[in-house]
Every structure is written in C-alpha cells, then in structure tokens.
Amino acid sequence: MTKLCIIMIGLPARGKSLMAERLREGLSADGLQVCVFNNGNLRRASLGYMSGAASFYHPDNEEGRMLREKIASDNMQLAREFLQGNGQVAILDATNGSRTRRAFLEKELAGIPVLYVECVNDDAELLELSVKRKARLPEFGGMTRGEAVRSFSQRIEYYERIFVPLSRDNEKSYVRVGTLDNRILEEYGCDSVPFYIQIRDILVSDWIRNMFLVRHSQSQYNVDGRIGGDSPLTPRGVRQAEALARHFKDISIPYIFTSTSLRSGMTAAPLLEEHPDSQVIALRELDEINAGICDSMTYDEIREKMPEEYAARARNKYDYIYPGGEGYVTLKYRVAMGFRKALFLSGAAPGMLVIGHQAINRMILSLFMYRPNDAVPYIYVPQDEFFHIVATHRKKLLELVRFTG
C-alpha cells in the first residue's frame, strides 16, 4: 500500500492548519485513509495555559524547547504508527521551521515518502486579523484579549528567529503555496510524490463549506434611488434584517463579514443578537463601488446634469468608471481580495456570512456564475434572498434562498 507523510511548514497564522484540513478532507473524499497530527492540539492538551505564554517559545528557553521537541516526537510517532497500519497519508501540522526539526522528522520517517507543504502569506492586515483570531484559542484562557494578542505576536517573532526556508539543497520534495489566493509559488521534486496530482488540485482549489452571500437590507438611499452614500436602513430594511436573523437562528455562522458602511453593519446587528459568539469583521474591500462625483445622486440627476456620463455608462456598464471613482472593471481585484480574506479568516468554520452590496455581490457571484463581463452588472441581487454557495474540488453548489416574503 502506497504511503505518504505531508509535513506542513510555515510561520504561525499563515494558514497551515486550514490547508492541512483541506488536504485531509480532499484526499479522504478520494477514498484514501488520511489523518492530521497537529502539534498545537497535542501541546494544548498536555500543557494547557502554560503554552500560551510567549516565553515558552523563546529560543533560549531550554525547558520550553525540550517540551516542544517531545511533543513533536510524540506526534510524529503517532503519525508513523498510523502509516504502519492502514493509514495512507499522515499530515504533520506544525511550524517545523528549523532545519534541525526537519532533519529529525526525515530520519524518524525513513522509508516513507515525504512532501513538505510550505504556507506563505505576507499580507500585513490579514496577519493582524489572524493573530486576533488566534488569541481566542483555549491556551490564552488566562489572559485578556489584548494580552493574548501581544503574546501570540511575540511568539511569531521568536519563530522568525529560527525559521529556515525550504531549499533545494536540503529538501527532496516540496511545494510552496500562497494561502491567500491558493496559488502554487514553487514546486520542487514532486513528480514522484504519491498522490501529488490530487494534492496539487486541492492546494489550488477554493474551499467553501457554506458561504451565505447577503445584500444589505433596504436603505434610505435605495428608496430614494440614490447611489453610494452611507444611509441607514429604512423601517422595512430593519424588518428584513430581523427576518434574516430569524432564518439563521439555528444555523452555525461563526464568522460574519461586512463592509464598513452603516447599512451593512445595521443588517448584521440582529444576527449578532442571535449569534453573540460570532466574530464580525468589517473589510474595506467589501465597500460598495465608489461612484466618485456621482455619489449620492440619482440616475435621473446624472442624466440631466451629466448626459455624456449617463450615456457612456449605458453603453458599457462593466467597463464604465465613474469620474473620480470606480467601475465594475476596477472592482475586480479589490473584491476578489476581500473575498479571499474572508475565506482565509473563516478557516475551517462550518459556515460564514457575507453582507455586501449590489455591485460587490455581483462581482463575488461572477466568480461562480461564469457570466461574461458585460453581463455581470445585470446579475440579480435581491434584498430578501441570499445566495448559498458551496465549492470544493469535488462539489459546486449555488442556490438562491428566500428568507422573507
């Protein structure tokens, strides 16, 4: 029986555990016996709050180093026993940043093919948000949230001191992956690695268990026919938001992503009452299209005061750019970045909810609906229905669901 050990590599908060879980889920769906062996889970179970302190990871803390090495050895032994039995793919999920650690693992796994998967993400804002998410882990239970954030940030700094990147001189087979956009940055020596064709497909696939894409509820500007602005919800909009919250009362939504606008936040408010433990993250990338000098105007006003602009937009809505603002064509990168940040931050959560705007949601939907560009501005985005999206390397689902009459 063919065996493989995948060894995850990367600094903390770069998406290693998320990618390890995707690999487990994807390869298991292909009929393989797969198990993830996570050093952090074993460490937390063994040491509890002790391992939350940044000093535990200081390179000069000999006691901490020995405890970490023992946990790595114990976890590797569990993985080896799994592979010696009916297991086919063991995934060692840890930083594994030093060459000494990797040499130890290779020696202990002699005779078993090894593939290193390095996770890379250098987006500063995303790293900051990821650290805040990590600060909720049980090992920080004895700290305030601020203390936990500082402790985890210091931990990253300590790991950076000893981190040695993968190299062709030292590692036989590896793949380096950008975890924000699921992009392979480098492959080396992978041609003979078992199951690599499946692994590569999983690494570059978006992985959405359940995404609920919602347009903000009715705002005052919707009633007035004005574009842009930052108007509040109308009484009807508040009722729509409350109906949305009732619909999701018994549905798990650990993460709620909004734009920075008032109307998006107001739509999220009733959801938070039903899900007080949900994390709400406002992303600027999800803000509505910038209408420039046309902001807060009605289309009738634009037609009367700027007939040339009105006609240019009517001729080609996708490529038209508001003077001093944006167009669908320039939204593409911004919205894709916000969408990928939401996927990264929600991790392996069973569900996430995105409260966007008409143009923003159209751009997200265009990633799944395969519409030509000139049709994107006409995608139907109602305020009393939401899109449910599932996407893995084996399954694609997009459905429109009504939550209120």
Side-chain angles (χ1 to χ4, degrees), residues 168-182:
R168 301 186 178 196
D169 293 332
N170 293 319
E171 282 77 31
K172 291 177 59 177
S173 303
Y174 66 82
V175 55
R176 184 173 285 114
V177 183
T179 51
L180 177 57
D181 53 5
N182 300 327

Side-chain angles (χ1 to χ4, degrees), residues 6 26 49 61 89 104 124 148 203 219 246 256 265 286 299 324 350 384:
I6 298 174
Y49 292 167
N61 183 341
V89 181
F104 166 75
L203 292 176
S219 70
R246 287 194 299 272
I256 300 172
L286 298 180
Y299 288 116
D384 57 359

Side-chain angles (χ1 to χ4, degrees), residues 223-298:
V223 174
D224 298 342
R226 298 188 180 278
I227 58 177
D230 196 20
S231 63
L233 299 185
T234 64
R236 180 185 177 189
V238 172
R239 292 194 297 273
Q240 287 174 335
E242 291 170 345
L244 179 69
R246 287 194 299 272
H247 181 91
F248 282 95
K249 181 177 181 180
D250 299 317
I251 299 175
S252 178
I253 45 171
Y255 291 88
I256 300 172
F257 295 93
T258 71
S259 73
T260 64
S261 74
L262 176 62
R263 55 196 184 277
S264 183
M266 289 181 69
T267 304
L271 283 162
L272 281 177
E273 294 180 6
E274 295 289 352
H275 299 274
D277 294 329
S278 293
Q279 293 189 53
V280 180
I281 301 173
L283 297 175
R284 294 189 302 274
E285 290 89 348
L286 298 180
D287 286 351
E288 180 59 300
I289 188 171
N290 178 1
I293 63 173
C294 298
D295 186 72
S296 300
M297 296 177 68
T298 68

